[in-house]
Amino acid sequence: MAGKSDITLLVDGVDENDADAVELTRLAGVLAKRIPRLCELRTVYDGEDLVPGQHVPRNIRNNVKSRAAYQRNLRLASVNIARPMVDSVTIRQRPNGFRLLDDERERSVDAEREWRSCRMTLKARDLFSQRNLYGRSYAMVCRGGGKDYVQPLSPWQCVMEPDGSAAIVYGYDELSGVESLTIYRLDYADDGSVSGVHSRVAQLESESRSIPAESDTETIYAVANGDRKGDFSFTPGYKWVSDVNRNWDYAAQCGTLPIVGLSTADGFGLFEPYLSNIYRIAQLNFDRTCVMMTQAFRQRAFKNFPRATYQEDDIEVKEGRKKTGDKIDFADLYVANPAGLWVLPDGVDVWESQSTDVTPWTTALQNEMKQLADMSMTPFGINSNDTGGSASGADLKREGVLFKAQDLNERADDALVRIMRMALVLDGKPDAADEDFTTLWLPIMPIQYSDPASAASQLNGIVS
């Protein structure tokens, strides 16, 4: 890792002794470096990823008529299989309140009221969806919207240290043309405990954003599909515009930043490790589509054609439609239509192309889908591995996604509890900082009441 002396600080008028400036510069670099991958993930999730145009033969790219057809094939070749890989897990993550650990039978009523007051039922779904798509998501607890203390933060605008000791939030004000970077850091006592939280804001006048907004789909798709440069960075010249803000007592009491992060096990989106498989499937689909398009109309050729001009004994000359010596327009003469009649000179043979069997492409696509379903533990219906149509086979196809949802629920528990603790302290309940509770979840699989009923009837007379 580069030393402090090798870093060009984004904030003017400071040196390497300004720890906030050093940390802000480093995290801003991490955020900017991550943006191209976020563009790629968002584009694939939206189904807007295209097979690169350079895969089209050069002679076709340079032909105006053929280029339009192949551009349509580029669009048709996209197969959106990333969305079900994310949504199949997200829809199974359903928080259902909080339980106090001191008494397993007692629910934390205060936490559940705070959850409802902060409208976390919908916000939690957004947090889970972004975490499952990008690998990370964030939420900030702060004052602002009455008793709605929780504000989701997108990974397009926020990045955090893995240990939760620091985070930055990026913002851009289009009306004033000002970019801002706000850093949040933990303060530690001599014994290593959290003694406080502080923040600082740095701003820079700019006519445009340094990184694209999450809503700017035109730029996002262009970057991901190679139609626009994908290198982003922040320009030095920021200035501290505020004193150190230490009004984060509610967060310090809970021993955390006011920003809480949710992450997958490895920090990758659920389909991010399988991008090569997704692109391979799109390429196979593109190749198959192109072959089917070119074979829709058979190509023909004439062999041993003796001449290229009309002679006096040709029917066209005798009927007065052509003159001797006129050049033969083969495209007009041999039109492919159901009632067409061709007149060929003696000794001329007609060659006709044969259709290509696309079965190998179809088989390869099915095998790729099965492989992706296995590796990502995602059920793709008929595209997943054969299970013989049995009930146990159907359960086997769902097993992987259920385990993924359960794992992500357990990883989200700590973040949700910290969010609720801070919200409760901010709402005037300081004792909540030391309260120990955990998240309750609805069943990942809906309960089939026929199952316990069947089990009860089988146990009748066997157990008391």
Side-chain angles (χ1 to χ4, degrees):
M1 182 176 176
K4 288 184 178 181
S5 59
D6 299 327
I7 299 177
T8 301
L9 298 179
L10 295 179
V11 183
D12 284 349
V14 300
D15 55 23
E16 294 85 352
N17 295 321
D18 190 330
D20 290 338
V22 173
E23 187 69 24
L24 181 144
T25 300
R26 200 189 72 79
L27 289 178
V30 173
L31 176 61
K33 188 176 180 180
R34 177 69 174 167
I35 292 298
R37 176 50 66 93
L38 296 182
C39 291
E40 184 178 19
L41 295 176
R42 170 67 182 278
T43 303
V44 174
Y45 179 77
D46 289 349
E48 295 293 332
D49 54 308
L50 302 178
V51 177
Q54 56 263 33
H55 289 277
V56 179
R58 180 178 301 175
N59 62 323
I60 293 176
R61 291 202 306 268
N62 296 334
N63 186 294
V64 177
K65 295 181 179 179
S66 299
R67 190 190 313 132
Y70 271 84
Q71 285 177 340
R72 184 171 184 269
N73 285 350
L74 288 175
R75 175 64 58 186
L76 293 176
S78 177
V79 183
N80 192 342
I81 55 181
R83 184 175 290 268
M85 294 176 69
V86 172
D87 294 352
S88 62
V89 177
T90 303
I91 61 177
R92 288 176 165 86
Q93 298 185 265
R94 300 175 296 168
N96 190 35
F98 298 90
R99 175 176 56 81
L100 294 171
L101 295 183
D102 294 339
D103 187 344
E104 295 186 358
R105 297 168 299 178
E106 185 177 351
R107 297 171 70 99
S108 177
V109 178
D110 288 341
E112 292 183 1
R113 285 176 177 170
E114 199 67 44
W115 178 274
R116 185 174 181 82
S117 176
C118 294
R119 298 185 298 161
M120 284 298 295
T121 300
L122 293 178
K123 293 179 181 178
R125 293 179 185 178
D126 293 337
L127 291 174
F128 297 154
S129 179
Q130 289 205 331
R131 187 267 310 271
N132 297 341
L133 170 55
Y134 300 116
R136 303 176 183 88
S137 63
Y138 306 95
M140 182 172 185
V141 182
C142 60
R143 297 179 178 88
K147 291 208 169 186
D148 185 359
Y149 300 119
V150 182
Q151 175 187 355
L153 296 176
S154 166
W156 292 83
Q157 64 180 135
C158 181
V159 68
M160 176 182 286
E161 288 283 8
D163 61 358
S165 62
I168 63 167
V169 177
Y170 169 79
Y172 180 71
D173 188 339
E174 294 184 358
L175 295 178
S176 59
V178 173
E179 284 189 317
S180 64
L181 287 170
T182 305
I183 184 167
Y184 301 84
R185 296 186 64 205
L186 293 177
D187 299 322
Y188 295 97
D190 294 338
D191 60 358
S193 61
V194 175
S195 61
V197 178
H198 73 271
S199 64
R200 295 177 77 180
V201 180
Q203 290 184 348
L204 171 71
E205 293 185 0
S206 176
E207 296 181 355
S208 60
R209 300 173 61 99
S210 296
I211 57 177
E214 187 178 7
S215 59
D216 186 5
T217 55
E218 182 179 354
T219 299
I220 292 172
Y221 298 160
V223 170
N225 291 322
D227 298 327
R228 180 168 177 169
K229 185 179 179 181
D231 296 330
F232 298 95
S233 61
F234 291 96
T235 304
Y238 284 81
K239 298 183 182 298
W240 293 124
V241 296
S242 68
D243 296 330
V244 175
N245 181 9
R246 300 188 183 277
N247 296 323
W248 309 102
D249 293 341
Y250 61 92
Q253 291 179 42
C254 298
T256 181
L257 291 176
I259 299 175
V260 178
L262 289 80
S263 176
T264 58
D266 52 10
F268 293 130
L270 296 186
F271 65 86
E272 189 172 353
Y274 313 108
L275 283 172
S276 58
N277 300 76
I278 295 174
Y279 290 146
R280 190 159 59 247
I281 290 171
Q283 183 67 55
L284 283 170
N285 199 45
F286 172 74
D287 294 341
R288 182 185 64 169
T289 304
C290 291
V291 169
M292 294 174 66
M293 178 195 71
T294 56
Q295 298 296 328
F297 300 98
R298 293 189 177 185
Q299 299 178 2
R300 297 178 176 88
F302 297 119
K303 297 188 296 183
N304 304 321
F305 209 92
R307 51 193 167 78
T309 59
Y310 288 103
Q311 297 180 357
E312 60 183 7
D313 57 346
D314 288 333
I315 295 178
E316 290 81 3
V317 175
K318 291 180 179 180
E319 293 181 351
R321 291 184 285 113
K322 299 292 181 181
K323 296 181 180 179
T324 302
D326 287 350
K327 187 176 180 180
I328 299 175
D329 186 353
F330 296 100
D332 180 61
L333 183 61
Y334 302 111
V335 177
N337 60 66
L341 181 65
W342 295 353
V343 179
L344 302 178
D346 293 338
V348 175
D349 296 330
V350 177
W351 170 87
E352 186 176 62
S353 64
Q354 299 299 315
S355 297
T356 302
D357 184 13
V358 296
T359 303
W361 276 273
T362 303
T363 303
L365 279 169
Q366 292 175 349
N367 291 335
E368 288 287 349
M369 290 293 291
K370 290 179 179 180
Q371 185 182 41
L372 179 60
D374 272 351
M375 292 188 301
S376 65
M377 296 187 296
T378 304
F380 287 126
I382 61 173
N383 293 317
S384 59
N385 279 337
D386 298 332
T387 56
S390 63
S392 59
D395 291 339
L396 180 63
K397 289 196 295 183
R398 288 192 298 264
E399 189 177 71
V401 72
L402 299 183
F403 284 141
K404 279 198 298 185
Q406 181 177 348
D407 174 73
L408 291 170
N409 284 349
E410 294 170 353
R411 294 181 184 278
D413 175 68
D414 177 68
L416 296 179
V417 169
R418 281 192 288 157
I419 290 173
M420 286 297 97
R421 279 199 188 117
M422 282 192 286
L424 286 168
V425 174
L426 194 56
D427 199 21
K429 302 178 179 65
D431 294 340
D434 300 321
E435 200 170 47
D436 203 0
F437 53 88
T438 187
T439 311
L440 298 175
W441 303 85
L442 290 172
I444 297 176
M445 274 292 294
I447 298 176
Q448 302 293 332
Y449 290 101
S450 60
D451 295 338
S454 175
S457 64
Q458 294 177 19
L459 291 174
N460 186 26
I462 300 176
V463 296
S464 59

